[in-house]
Amino acid sequence: MTVAATEVLIVGAGPTGLVLACDLARRGIRFEIVERADRALPGSRGTGVQPRTQEVFEDLGVLDDMRAAGGPCQLMLSWDGETPLGTWDLVERRAPDPRVPYGEVLMLPQWRTVELLTDRLRALGGRVRYGAELTDLVQDPDGVTARLRHGDGSHTLRAAYAVAADGGRSAHRKAVGVALTGDDVDPSPALVADVAVEGLDRDHWHMWPHAEGGVFLLRPLEGTDLYQLVARFDTARETPDADPEAVRRLIARRTGQPRLRLREVAWASVHQARAALADRFRAGRVFLAGDAAHVHTAAGGQGMNTSVQDAYNLGWKLGRVLRHGADDALLDTYEEERRPVAADVLGISTRIHRSYRRAREDAGAGRGRDLQQLELGYRGGPLSRELRPGLAEDALQAGDRAPDAPCVDRSGAPTRLFEAFRGPHFTLLAFGATALPAPFADGAAVRALRVGRPGQDADLVDVDGHAHQAYAAHGLFLVRPDGYVGLAGADPHSVRDYLR
Ligand SMILES: Cc1cc2nc3c(=O)[nH]c(=O)nc-3n(C[C@H](O)[C@H](O)[C@H](O)COP(=O)(O)OP(=O)(O)OC[C@H]3O[C@@H](n4cnc5c(N)ncnc54)[C@H](O)[C@@H]3O)c2cc1C
C-alpha cells in the first residue's frame, strides 16, 4: 500500500467532478479525480445545458466545442398513434442580447458533455484516474485519508479536502454521515434509453401523451443516429424492461406505428423520480456537490445544471484558501450559498414533474426563465456586500449574476465584459470617475478595469452604452471568479476589506 498526497480529492468524474477538476487545474491546485468505472459513463441522461451553464462552460473554454456538438431544443410534436396532433414549444427562447449571450437551452447527450469536459481537462494538464473506487474515507483536523481500490490493488491518498461528486447514491455522503432528505415524487418509474429507430423524422421531439400504458417520448440525440426514449410505467400493470425485444414491443404498442423499426438499444436505465436534498453540503473537510448533494426529477432539466453550478461555486473558494491564504471559513459559504439555491431549484423541478403527471401533455410548454438559471444568485448571502442605499428591487445588486456587455478595448478591438471575466480571477469594474484602489499586491488574482464612455480614458469603452445600462453610471463592482457581483459601492477601501 502506498500513500500519496494531494490538495483536493475529487470522487466521481461526472459533470460535477469534471467541472471542478477543470477549474482547479486552471488555478494550479493539485488534485486527484478518481472514477470507479473503467471509462466515462454512457447514456444521454441530462441533455439540456441551460443558458447559465453555457456561460460557465464559456469561462472554462469548452463552450465552442459543445455548441458544435449540440443544437437547439426541437419543437415537440404530439401524436395520437399515427396521427400528428401538432407542434408546440417546450422551452423559453429569446434572442441573445447584450447582457445575455445565450438565450436558450443547448441540447446534447450527457455522455458527449462529459467527453468534452474530459478533453478540456486533459488540455489543462489534468487526467481522470479511471477504475479507482473510493472505498473508505476518514478525516482529521488536517485533512482526509481515503482508501482507493483499483485493478492492481489499493492505495491510500491524503488530501487537504475531498469533494464527493459521486452521484445520487453517494457512498461518500454516507461515509461522512450526512443524510439525504426527500420524497419519491412519482411512484411510476420511467425507462430511459438511447435507441436507434427507423421511420421517424429527426426534426422533432416526438410525444405520445395518451399512449396506452403511459406517456412515451422519442427525442433525436445530436451527433448520433439515436433517440432518447422515455416511457413512464404504471407498475400495477407492467414493469420496465430494457431487453431489445421488450423495447421493440413497447415502441409498437405506445406509438401505434408499426412502421417504426428498432435497430439497437445502445443504453438503458430505469429512473425513479426523486427529489431530495442533503442536510449539509459540508462535513468538516468533505464537500458534497452535484447529485451527491441534491437529486432532482428529470423534469425541467435542472439536475446536471445545478450540479455544474455547485462545482463552479466551490472551485474558486478552494483556490482562495489553498493558494491565497483565505480563511477556511470561506468554504462554509459554499453550503450557505448553494443549499438554498438547490432547494429552490428542487421545488421548481418537482412542481414541473407533478404538473406533467396531472396534465400529461404540454404542462411545461414555454417553461420559463427560472429554468435557465440566469436569475439565480446570492443576494443577501454571506459574500454579497451591497453598499449603495435605496436601490430599486430590479437594479443590479451585490449577489446578482454579473451581466455581459459588448465593449471595445484600448486598441479599439471589440471585446465583452465576459472576456474580461474569463479566467480564475476577480474582476473589478470602475464606472464613471470612481477611484480605483491602489494596485493589489496579488495582482493576478484581481483584474481592475475602468469602464468609460466614448472619448473617456478607459480600459473598456462602452460604445453603445450597454455596460452602463446594465451596471450603473458610476461606482465599483467587484465580480467574483464565478461571475456574481460580490461587492457594489463606491469606496475603494471597501474592495480591499472585502478581499481580505
Ligand atoms: C434519465 C435521466 C434524465 C436526466 N435528464 C436531465 C436533464 O435533462 N437535465 C439535467 O440537467 N439533468 C438531467 N438528469 C440529471 C443528471 O444526469 C445528473 O444531475 C448529473 O449526472 C449529475 O452529475 P454528477 O456528476 O453529480 O453525478 P453523476 O453523473 O452520477 O456522476 C457520478 C460519478 O461518480 C462515480 N462514482 C460513484 N461512486 C464512486 C466511488 N465510490 N468512487 C469513485 N467514483 C464513484 C460514478 O461512476 C459516476 O461516474 C437526468 C438524469 C437521468 C438519470
Side-chain angles (χ1 to χ4, degrees):
M1 183 207 297
T2 53
V3 180
T6 191
E7 288 178 299
V8 180
L9 167 65
I10 303 170
V11 185
T16 308
L18 289 166
V19 165
L20 182 62
C22 287
D23 197 20
L24 295 182
R26 65 184 187 154
R27 293 173 190 284
I29 304 293
R30 284 182 295 117
F31 64 89
E32 279 279 340
I33 173 167
V34 297
E35 166 57 54
R36 74 174 164 202
D38 290 332
R39 58 188 180 96
L41 292 189
S44 56
R45 298 192 281 169
T47 61
V49 179
Q50 298 293 348
R52 178 64 190 142
T53 311
Q54 293 174 52
E55 295 177 359
V56 174
F57 288 158
E58 180 183 7
D59 181 37
L60 295 175
V62 73
L63 184 64
D64 287 346
D65 290 341
M66 289 202 181
R67 291 177 75 82
C73 185
Q74 301 93 345
L75 279 181
M76 305 292 298
L77 172 57
S78 291
W79 295 85
D80 180 8
E82 293 192 275
T83 310
L85 300 176
T87 58
W88 50 282
D89 207 350
L90 181 70
V91 298
E92 165 112 3
R93 298 177 203 265
R94 56 174 162 181
D97 68 41
R99 297 176 193 214
V100 177
Y102 311 108
E104 61 182 271
V105 65
L106 171 71
M107 306 298 283
L108 73 166
Q110 186 171 312
W111 63 262
R112 188 83 179 110
T113 298
V114 163
E115 185 176 80
L116 294 171
L117 285 168
T118 308
D119 291 349
R120 182 67 188 135
L121 177 61
R122 210 172 294 125
L124 289 164
R127 70 170 185 104
V128 177
R129 180 169 186 144
Y130 291 104
E133 180 178 13
L134 175 83
T135 54
D136 189 35
L137 182 89
V138 288
Q139 54 176 320
D140 55 59
D142 301 320
V144 301
T145 304
R147 172 70 64 85
L148 297 165
R149 183 169 56 203
H150 36 82
D152 41 356
S154 69
H155 77 280
T156 300
L157 182 74
R158 257 318 265 178
Y161 296 100
V163 179
D166 53 345
R169 295 201 180 91
S170 178
H172 217 43
R173 181 184 61 230
K174 291 169 198 147
V176 294
V178 175
L180 188 74
T181 309
D183 305 317
D184 282 342
V185 176
D186 188 344
S188 306
L191 176 70
V192 184
D194 295 349
V195 294
V197 172
E198 285 169 6
L200 204 57
D201 81 56
R202 294 190 64 82
D203 302 326
H204 294 98
W205 185 339
H206 302 273
M207 180 183 203
W208 285 262
H210 307 298
E212 184 201 331
V215 66
F216 188 74
L217 299 117
L218 287 168
R219 192 184 85 72
L221 289 168
E222 296 71 20
T224 73
D225 61 354
L226 303 172
Y227 293 78
Q228 185 185 58
L229 175 158
V230 178
R232 273 187 77 224
F233 282 79
D234 175 354
T235 43
R237 296 167 57 189
E238 72 185 315
T239 46
D241 184 349
D243 179 77
E245 185 49 32
V247 175
R248 191 192 58 71
R249 285 196 304 270
L250 181 76
I251 293 174
R253 194 169 63 253
R254 296 267 179 118
T255 66
Q257 298 196 12
R259 67 196 168 81
L260 298 188
R261 215 171 69 77
L262 175 74
R263 270 199 296 107
E264 185 195 356
V265 179
W267 167 83
S269 160
V270 175
H271 182 65
Q272 189 78 50
R274 284 202 75 203
L277 186 64
D279 294 353
R280 285 175 293 148
F281 281 20
R282 177 177 192 181
R285 292 184 159 263
V286 179
F287 300 89
L288 308 180
D291 276 17
H294 39 75
V295 180
H296 300 250
T297 79
Q302 299 295 290
M304 184 184 70
N305 291 279
T306 309
S307 301
V308 166
Q309 305 291 341
D310 288 347
Y312 198 50
N313 182 287
L314 183 57
W316 71 267
K317 293 174 181 175
L318 285 167
R320 294 293 299 179
V321 170
L322 289 165
R323 279 292 169 284
H324 301 278
D327 194 290
D328 174 90
L330 176 63
L331 295 168
D332 290 337
T333 68
Y334 166 67
E335 172 176 315
E336 289 161 2
E337 291 191 331
R338 290 306 298 168
R339 199 169 174 279
V341 167
D344 282 357
V345 177
L346 267 178
I348 293 168
S349 52
T350 304
R351 260 198 315 280
I352 293 175
H353 189 97
R354 291 203 164 116
S355 67
Y356 274 139
R357 280 185 63 198
R358 277 195 303 274
R360 302 213 326 174
E361 198 171 349
D362 52 359
R367 297 186 307 206
R369 295 200 174 176
D370 44 359
L371 301 188
Q372 301 193 335
Q373 304 208 343
L374 290 165
E375 267 135 52
L376 295 177
Y378 308 118
R379 268 192 199 190
L383 296 179
S384 302
R385 298 271 185 289
E386 180 49 71
L387 302 175
R388 301 163 301 162
L391 285 179
E393 182 60 23
D394 61 356
L396 179 72
Q397 296 185 24
D400 293 348
R401 162 189 166 275
D404 196 9
C407 301
V408 298
D409 66 16
R410 283 192 180 275
S411 74
T415 185
R416 297 155 59 207
L417 292 185
F418 274 17
E419 291 279 348
F421 300 163
R422 186 177 303 169
H425 54 272
F426 281 83
T427 311
L428 180 62
L429 301 177
F431 287 81
T434 323
L436 278 171
F440 296 93
D442 192 358
V446 188
R447 200 168 165 204
L449 298 164
R450 186 166 286 292
V451 187
R453 298 197 188 268
Q456 292 178 335
D457 176 35
D459 304 296
L460 297 172
V461 181
D462 185 17
V463 183
D464 300 313
H466 292 301
H468 285 79
Q469 217 171 49
Y471 287 76
H474 65 270
L476 294 170
F477 293 84
L478 183 65
V479 179
R480 301 167 17 163
D482 58 354
Y484 291 86
V485 178
L487 172 143
D491 176 6
H493 297 294
S494 63
V495 177
R496 287 194 170 280
D497 290 345
Y498 181 92
L499 289 168
R500 244 194 317 269

